[in-house]
Amino acid sequence: QTTLENETLLSSVYSVYCLAYGSASGGVFGLTEQRGLPKSGWTALMRDSHFVPGPKDPKKSKRVTLKDCEGAFDKAAKHGAHVDEMSQNLHLSSFLEALVRVAAAMSRTYDILLSQTFTMVISNLHDAKEHLPKAKALFRNSLGSNDVRTILEDNDTELRNLFSTFAGSDSRIDSSDFLQAAERLNLMEGALTPQALVYILSSSSSSSDAPVGEASSSADFDEFCESLCAIACFKTPHPHVPLPFKLQAFIHRYVNPFFTKRKRGGRSSTEI
């Protein structure tokens, strides 16, 4: 019940820390393209949420240790390996398991019920929200590069056609149409759950009245392109691959084939 009531918070924190520590800000993924939240991002989240003391935090006699949090990560990642056998990262389901394991460690430390400590875990995650703008800023700085702008301009026709295919005659694309586009382009996998995709869209939107992560979010064309750039980072999360290469590979792998299939007799726009 607590998880359902805080679904937006959990998915938004997970998505932003994946983006910040898995790709855009140079998180460590090794030599393979692994998806999900790496241990570096998990550790940062634990510190940002004040689960474990930071360098300047006062010592406390009773507190969950970094070893406890890392142990929760390792066990949850191992149990979630069936999702991606090559990944040592947390997918959304294993991320939730890791949080429960942290709550279990708190329950043992404070000698109170697990239900109570899990509520404490959710409360602590609200502390991490203040760090989300910093993570977004890291990503948005890379969007302003000349190479990214050039790729968007070179593919302007295809991107506008994609936008209009799902937004129709509207000047904005809403979350339901965006999810339909993601499904048709085969984007949903790993960390890119429907909840994460809605969060990406609403985070890109500067003029939507809906709170970030709400299903009623919408975006104009430029914000739609920003969302695609964010998705491109999830699709090619290797830290040493610059955003322009990620974006170009994304367009080549997902956008261009969509129109090629339609020209060869795939579903027409009237069937969408």
Side-chain angles (χ1 to χ4, degrees):
Q1 182 66 31
T2 302
T3 300
L4 293 175
E5 291 173 353
N6 293 275
E7 182 179 7
T8 298
L9 171 68
L10 292 168
S11 61
S12 62
V13 168
Y14 173 77
S15 299
V16 171
Y17 273 78
C18 279
L19 185 61
Y21 290 91
S23 53
S25 87
V28 180
F29 277 83
L31 298 179
T32 58
E33 292 186 0
Q34 300 177 1
R35 297 175 173 84
L37 181 66
K39 182 175 280 190
S40 59
W42 170 258
T43 302
L45 175 60
M46 293 297 98
R47 293 199 186 281
D48 293 346
S49 304
H50 306 296
F51 287 109
V52 296
K56 298 180 181 180
D57 290 343
K59 293 183 179 180
K60 292 186 178 181
S61 57
K62 285 182 117 181
R63 193 161 191 174
V64 172
T65 65
L66 178 59
K67 183 178 179 180
D68 291 327
C69 294
E70 290 180 339
F73 176 95
D74 293 337
K75 291 178 180 178
K78 182 179 180 180
H79 288 170
H82 68 280
V83 179
D84 182 352
E85 294 182 356
M86 297 300 294
S87 176
Q88 297 300 315
N89 302 333
L90 297 180
H91 295 271
L92 184 57
S93 58
S94 49
F95 171 70
L96 296 177
E97 178 186 335
L99 292 178
V100 172
R101 290 183 176 277
V102 171
M106 293 171 66
S107 178
R108 293 190 295 270
T109 300
Y110 302 128
D111 194 24
I112 57 178
L113 295 175
L114 176 61
S115 59
Q116 293 175 289
T117 55
F118 188 67
T119 300
M120 293 167 62
V121 165
I122 298 299
S123 178
N124 278 34
L125 286 181
H126 284 278
D127 293 335
K129 292 181 69 175
E130 66 183 72
H131 296 270
L132 300 191
K134 299 176 186 177
K136 293 177 186 177
L138 291 171
F139 170 66
R140 285 201 165 129
N141 285 341
S142 62
L143 288 178
S145 72
N146 291 333
D147 289 340
V148 170
R149 303 318 304 174
T150 297
I151 292 173
L152 291 175
E153 291 170 3
D154 289 346
N155 294 275
D156 184 73
T157 299
E158 292 81 2
L159 293 172
R160 288 188 182 277
N161 285 341
L162 182 65
F163 180 82
S164 62
T165 295
F166 293 96
S169 59
D170 297 333
S171 60
R172 302 183 67 82
I173 186 170
D174 62 30
S175 56
S176 61
D177 289 334
F178 186 68
L179 289 178
Q180 189 175 27
E183 183 177 5
R184 289 290 306 279
L185 269 65
N186 298 316
L187 301 181
M188 294 187 190
E189 63 172 347
L192 289 173
T193 63
Q195 294 88 349
L197 288 165
V198 169
Y199 181 82
I200 288 173
L201 182 71
S202 57
S203 294
S204 302
S205 175
S206 59
S207 56
S208 175
D209 293 330
V212 170
E214 290 297 319
S216 56
S217 301
S218 65
D220 61 21
F221 174 70
D222 290 336
E223 294 161 348
F224 171 74
C225 289
E226 179 179 326
S227 298
L228 295 184
C229 289
I231 294 172
C233 289
F234 278 94
K235 292 298 184 180
T236 308
H238 198 289
H240 299 301
V241 179
L243 178 57
F245 289 91
K246 296 179 182 184
L247 178 59
Q248 188 66 68
F250 174 82
I251 293 173
H252 177 74
R253 182 178 178 185
Y254 295 99
V255 178
N256 293 339
F258 173 76
F259 291 106
T260 300
K261 289 179 182 178
R262 294 181 69 201
K263 289 178 181 178
R264 290 177 180 174
R267 281 192 251 179
S268 66
S269 58
T270 58
E271 294 177 296
I272 295 176

